[in-house]
């Protein structure tokens, strides 16, 4: 029984020593100087204000090839003929989209009959009357749509994009 008590006593001491070490480690962790504050991540990028065309260049329901925010980012301008989400101009019917599929980067084709941009790669389809919403397919995001502004002379300017362009870490390189 004596021996057994000693073992219990040794066990207690070991336990207390372990607790003391853990407490010291915690105190050390608490005493560490605070990490320097990280610079706030930039959630927005500065888009260029680019003239993409003029209202007079557009024919109803026919795509006009453009590029935005740089020459390596193909897209289209469309005059849909009915006021739509994100539509610019006097009739609120001018929209612009990237024409690179957000799934794996195939170039999209415009289908005037249902006003969609369609992918020949894996058949995703995007509704140009609904802000580029994907209506079928493999992509995991909607089609990037341009923020457009039309001035008093009818010049159409892009000043932003609402989704990340395919293959980029930032829309503005
Ligand atoms: Fe367009 Fe796959 S690249 S659906």
């Amino acid at each position: 029984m004596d021996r057994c008590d000693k073992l219990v006593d040794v066990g207690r001491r070991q336990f207390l020593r372990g607790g003391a070490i853990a407490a010291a480690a915690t105190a050390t962790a608490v005493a560490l100087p605070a990490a320097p504050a990280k610079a706030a991540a930039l959630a927005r990028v500065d888009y260029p204000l680019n003239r993409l065309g003029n209202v007079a260049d557009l024919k109803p329901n026919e795509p006009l090839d453009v590029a935005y925010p740089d020459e390596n980012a193909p897209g289209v301008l469309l005059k849909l003929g009915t006021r739509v989400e994100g539509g610019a101009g006097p009739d609120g019917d001018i929209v612009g989209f990237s024409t690179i599929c957000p799934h794996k980067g195939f170039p999209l084709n415009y289908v005037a009959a249902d006003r969609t941009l369609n992918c020949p790669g894996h058949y995703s389809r995007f509704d140009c009357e609904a802000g580029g919403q994907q209506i079928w397919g493999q992509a995991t995001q909607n089609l990037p749509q341009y923020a457009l502004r039309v001035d008093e002379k009818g010049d159409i300017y892009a000043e932003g994009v609402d989704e990340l362009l395919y293959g980029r870490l930032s829309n503005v390189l």
Side-chain angles (χ1 to χ4, degrees):
M1 207 54 180
D2 258 5
R3 195 167 168 227
C4 185
D5 286 346
K6 280 182 188 161
L7 279 178
V8 168
D9 195 41
V10 168
R12 259 192 219 120
R13 269 185 264 139
Q14 287 286 71
F15 174 79
L16 291 173
R17 193 179 308 144
I21 290 169
T26 304
T28 304
V30 169
L32 286 175
K38 286 185 185 168
L42 296 175
R44 298 178 62 89
V45 295
D46 290 327
Y47 282 97
L49 181 63
N50 289 3
R51 180 185 178 280
L52 300 183
N54 188 279
V55 172
D57 301 331
L58 297 175
K59 297 189 178 99
N61 207 19
E62 279 186 29
L64 175 72
D65 291 336
V66 295
Y68 184 79
D70 55 62
E71 63 197 23
N72 297 316
V76 283
L77 286 181
L78 293 160
K79 181 169 175 57
L80 295 171
T82 52
R83 186 171 294 274
V84 293
E85 176 184 338
D91 302 321
D93 65 343
I94 298 171
V95 290
F97 295 97
S98 164
T99 51
I100 305 175
C101 183
H103 179 224
K104 290 197 174 176
F106 278 64
L108 302 174
N109 302 312
Y110 185 65
V111 175
D114 63 2
R115 294 162 193 224
T116 57
L117 280 158
N118 291 250
C119 181
H122 313 98
Y123 313 114
S124 285
R125 305 177 67 226
F126 303 91
D127 188 343
C128 297
E129 293 180 309
Q133 183 176 11
Q134 183 181 219
I135 49 178
W136 198 90
Q138 310 286 327
T140 55
Q141 70 172 52
N142 295 328
L143 197 56
Q145 182 172 15
Y146 302 156
L148 297 176
R149 184 156 52 82
V150 178
D151 72 10
E152 63 285 348
K153 291 181 289 185
D155 287 330
I156 304 164
Y157 292 88
E159 52 191 4
V161 181
D162 70 352
E163 298 267 4
L164 189 61
L165 298 172
Y166 175 78
R168 296 194 177 199
L169 298 177
S170 170
N171 283 346
V172 177
L173 302 177

